[in-house]
Amino acid sequence: MKILVTVKEVAEVADDFEIEGRSIPETYLEYDLNEWDDYAVEAAVRIAEDREDEDVEVVAATIGPERSEETIRMALAKGVDRAVRVWDDALAEADVLDPTTTARILAAVAEEEAPDLVLSGVQAADDGFGATGVALADLLDMGWAAVVNDLELTDGDASVRRELEGGVEELTTVPCPAVLTIQTGINEPRYASLRGIRQAQRKELAVHTLADIGLDPSLVDDDLTLAGMAKPESESDATLFEGSAEETAAELATVLRDAGVGAE
Amino acid sequence: MSATDVLVVADHRRGELRPVSYELLTVGRDLADAMGGDLHAAVVGGDVDRFAEKLDCEGVDAIHTVAEGDEFNHDVTVAAVTALFDTLDPGAVVMPNSVNGLDYAPAVATRLSLPLVTDAVAIDYDDGPTVTREMYGSKVETAIEVTSEPVALTIRGGEWAAAEGVGDADIEPFAVDIDESSIRSTVRGFEEVGAGDVDISEAEFIVSVGRGIEEEENLELIEELAGALDATLASSRPIVDSGWLPKNRQVGQSGKAVTPKVYLAIGISGAVQHVAGMKGADTIIAINTDPDAPIFDIADYGVVDDLFEVVPELIEQFE
């Protein structure tokens, strides 16, 4: 059995940051494995661990520059067997990538790998399109389920719970191969052990250009352009209490008592 | 029918249209006006005739009902929306950025080879759509210009006014030839989660805790505060994801919606999904170290300080 996990290195923005033109300078950015993908990695590794008697290979696929290898090594340190990274000058130049373009690139990797199951985070913490997994499934002509917070594999089927709004879950079955987009909370992602980090250095991390995986770089000349970037205007009209913790707590206590809190 | 028309797809669950359906009509009407075309709405599955009557708000030109199945199934929805799109040939298809929207809209876009922009919070139109959306957990707003039409969009719920009034749309059934073999997913049912000892949606006073609490053992402090205030303890998503509190304590889009007299948000940044569940509180109070945290945008009162400094003092005030 082969499981493909799509992972992404995402940028996190510092509390205080500036925007220059249509981008945020590197000094305000920190990079990390996308939180949703961390849960997807954990789900994949657990499937492999639960099926010791079966040969289960977990492969991570990512689109990212060389810098992102550090993040991908984290996935390898957590138990992913090997990784494929796709990067290209054409991608480096794109300021915004249509999620279907992302999906086309990952689909080319997936076609090469022919996985029995694909796990993908529900969304990426940076651009938050939330669309790659389902677009990927459709391009691969696989079944899918989005926003999965519980997963059981039996007899070639994935039985999942989809987390809907308002505390309701949908119980759905989809035959494998399938793409499942994984919601946070499905498991508890492990920390990479020192031993895992050491082992990760020796694991295969293949790098491909678009041409290497049979795609024309013109694929990236897509229909979306980043026309502007701004900090959202604060709409705050909150009364902010200032002073020592003792003073602000006293102010809060007054507000709370006025609202009836603590009244017997 | 023309490429200036707009098609919107309603969202429903367990016999009810979801509020975003009416917001989609507003978005669709605005966009159709800008493009100079008609507004078409579609509803797939469930009690489509009853849904169509409700969707017949002012400004809707046509409603297409696809009577296939009782509940949402993404395979059916993709087949229905793509078939409708092929028939109507609109300039835009607008879908909800709901959990179900996320489960079918990307496939509609790939199948029709349309550019896709999700989670729109505003849409302008001038020769083509420019979509405002958020990045980096709502810290940045971006404008995405779509340079090719037709386009597929999904909209965030709660950002547009709901359509009102009574329209005189043509309501017509739309027959879709659905190949049974293309239906891969089977919905087996629904389950309410978060039943348990406490129903936070009934609580009068709520003390709610988020990521700012850092460690599970620090939760004790917040429990102590909730005890001192005689309030109910709730949380944002990360606390439940970490297993520190049960699911029935989660406030937000995927958790419970609450409407207390007082909502005290401690170490909660105020992600849009969380705010969706608590903005109905009478009084919102926030304690957070980050003055730019979105929670302060909706708070009535706030303290920008370390919760570990303020909360012990606050407990003292009530002891």
Side-chain angles (χ1 to χ4, degrees), chain A residues 53-211:
Chain A
D53 49 343
E54 208 182 307
D55 188 16
V56 181
E57 187 183 30
V58 180
V59 181
T62 193
I63 301 169
E66 195 176 347
R67 183 200 57 230
S68 64
E69 290 200 358
E70 203 179 317
T71 304
I72 306 316
R73 292 274 176 211
M74 288 311 289
L76 292 169
K78 291 177 180 214
V80 169
D81 295 300
R82 63 185 171 83
V84 178
R85 176 171 74 85
V86 180
W87 196 239
D88 201 280
D89 291 344
L91 288 163
E93 281 165 23
D95 53 9
V96 56
L97 214 50
D98 188 316
T100 54
T101 306
T102 308
R104 273 182 222 288
I105 297 166
L106 292 170
V109 176
E111 271 160 10
E112 193 69 28
E113 296 286 347
D116 302 286
L117 183 67
V118 181
L119 302 181
S120 172
V122 165
Q123 65 179 60
D126 50 7
D127 60 20
F129 271 103
T132 303
V134 170
L136 175 61
D138 193 57
L139 292 169
L140 293 172
D141 200 19
M142 287 184 181
W144 73 84
V147 194
V148 168
N149 69 357
D150 190 65
L151 160 63
E152 206 177 312
L153 295 177
T154 39
D155 304 330
D157 284 334
S159 296
V160 304
R161 282 171 180 263
R162 294 182 58 233
E163 186 189 78
L164 306 180
E165 295 89 349
V168 177
E169 292 183 347
E170 181 196 282
L171 312 178
T172 293
T173 302
V174 53
C176 293
V179 180
L180 309 177
T181 78
I182 302 297
Q183 174 64 302
T184 61
I186 188 174
N187 52 41
E188 199 175 326
R190 69 194 66 191
Y191 289 101
S193 66
L194 273 175
R195 185 163 158 263
I197 292 169
R198 272 201 304 273
Q199 283 174 344
Q201 295 305 323
R202 293 193 297 274
K203 290 182 178 175
E204 181 189 334
L205 204 171
V207 184
H208 298 308
T209 62
L210 292 177

Side-chain angles (χ1 to χ4, degrees), chain A residues 138 165-166 171 184 257, chain B residues 13 111 184 188 241 253 317:
Chain A
D138 193 57
E165 295 89 349
L171 312 178
T184 61
R257 287 207 174 89
Chain B
R13 187 192 303 152
R111 219 164 281 185
R184 295 196 185 93
R188 289 175 286 121
D241 279 353
Q253 214 161 60
Q317 292 279 340

Side-chain angles (χ1 to χ4, degrees), chain A residues 11-17 19 24 29 35 39 96 98-100 103-104 122-123 125-132 134-139 141-147 149 158-175 177 183-188 222-246 248-250 252-257 259-264, chain B residues 11 13-14 18 72 74-75 78 97-111 113-119 130 133-148 151 154 184-194 205 211 228-231 237-238 240-242 247 250 252-257 261-262 264 273 283 285-287 289-290 292 296-305 309-310 313-314 317-319:
Chain A
E12 285 169 13
V13 179
D15 280 349
D16 283 314
F17 68 99
I19 293 170
I24 298 166
L29 299 178
E35 185 181 356
Y39 287 87
V96 56
D98 188 316
T100 54
R104 273 182 222 288
V122 165
Q123 65 179 60
D126 50 7
D127 60 20
F129 271 103
T132 303
V134 170
L136 175 61
D138 193 57
L139 292 169
D141 200 19
M142 287 184 181
W144 73 84
V147 194
N149 69 357
S159 296
V160 304
R161 282 171 180 263
R162 294 182 58 233
E163 186 189 78
L164 306 180
E165 295 89 349
V168 177
E169 292 183 347
E170 181 196 282
L171 312 178
T172 293
T173 302
V174 53
Q183 174 64 302
T184 61
I186 188 174
N187 52 41
E188 199 175 326
D222 57 20
D223 310 314
L224 308 186
T225 309
L226 184 61
M229 186 183 269
K231 289 187 188 184
E233 277 178 37
S234 172
E235 295 152 16
S236 179
D237 52 4
T239 304
L240 295 181
F241 299 123
E242 288 173 7
S244 68
E246 195 183 345
T248 56
L252 288 181
T254 306
V255 171
L256 288 165
R257 287 207 174 89
V261 174
E264 290 300 319
Chain B
D11 210 16
R13 187 192 303 152
R14 302 167 99 184
R18 304 199 61 244
F72 171 79
H74 65 233
D75 296 311
V78 173
N97 202 69
S98 58
V99 172
N100 283 345
L102 289 173
D103 198 38
Y104 77 87
V108 167
T110 50
R111 219 164 281 185
S113 293
L114 304 180
L116 170 68
V117 185
T118 60
D119 206 18
T130 296
R133 58 193 307 283
E134 295 178 339
M135 272 182 77
Y136 304 110
S138 303
K139 282 183 167 178
V140 172
E141 226 169 57
T142 56
I144 308 280
E145 220 171 77
V146 190
T147 51
S148 154
V151 57
T154 73
R184 295 196 185 93
S185 59
T186 315
V187 177
R188 289 175 286 121
F190 297 93
E191 227 172 76
E192 302 276 350
V193 289
F205 304 118
R211 235 185 250 268
L229 300 182
D230 203 12
R237 173 168 204 115
V240 172
D241 279 353
S242 302
K247 182 100 186 166
Q250 185 181 324
Q253 214 161 60
S254 55
K256 286 276 174 75
K261 281 188 184 163
V262 174
L264 177 51
Q273 294 84 354
T283 301
I285 306 172
I287 304 173
T289 46
D290 178 8
D292 294 323
F296 289 117
D297 287 346
I298 57 153
D300 300 290
Y301 301 93
V303 173
V304 180
D305 200 351
E309 300 283 330
V310 179
E313 293 288 348
L314 194 52
Q317 292 279 340
F318 281 86
E319 273 176 346

Side-chain angles (χ1 to χ4, degrees), chain B residues 143-292:
Chain B
I144 308 280
E145 220 171 77
V146 190
T147 51
S148 154
E149 286 180 295
V151 57
L153 306 171
T154 73
I155 64 151
R156 179 180 292 178
E159 297 291 324
W160 278 270
E164 291 175 351
V166 181
D168 57 352
D170 298 324
I171 299 176
E172 284 176 16
F174 182 81
V176 186
D177 189 15
I178 291 173
D179 173 10
E180 284 301 317
S181 68
S182 72
I183 309 297
R184 295 196 185 93
S185 59
T186 315
V187 177
R188 289 175 286 121
F190 297 93
E191 227 172 76
E192 302 276 350
V193 289
D197 52 331
V198 174
D199 184 359
I200 56 170
S201 62
E202 298 289 324
E204 201 174 11
F205 304 118
I206 290 179
V207 170
S208 195
V209 62
R211 235 185 250 268
I213 195 70
E214 294 169 4
E215 305 280 342
E216 186 174 11
E217 47 266 35
N218 296 335
L219 210 54
E220 216 172 285
L221 179 71
I222 309 301
E223 280 167 349
E224 202 185 322
L225 176 66
L229 300 182
D230 203 12
T232 302
L233 182 67
S235 83
S236 65
R237 173 168 204 115
I239 305 301
V240 172
D241 279 353
S242 302
W244 300 348
L245 282 175
K247 182 100 186 166
N248 64 340
R249 302 280 180 158
Q250 185 181 324
V251 173
Q253 214 161 60
S254 55
K256 286 276 174 75
V258 297
T259 51
K261 281 188 184 163
V262 174
Y263 190 85
L264 177 51
I266 302 175
I268 290 176
S269 66
V272 60
Q273 294 84 354
H274 181 76
V275 168
M278 47 68 78
K279 62 185 175 198
D282 290 345
T283 301
I284 297 168
I285 306 172
I287 304 173
N288 201 302
T289 46
D290 178 8
D292 294 323

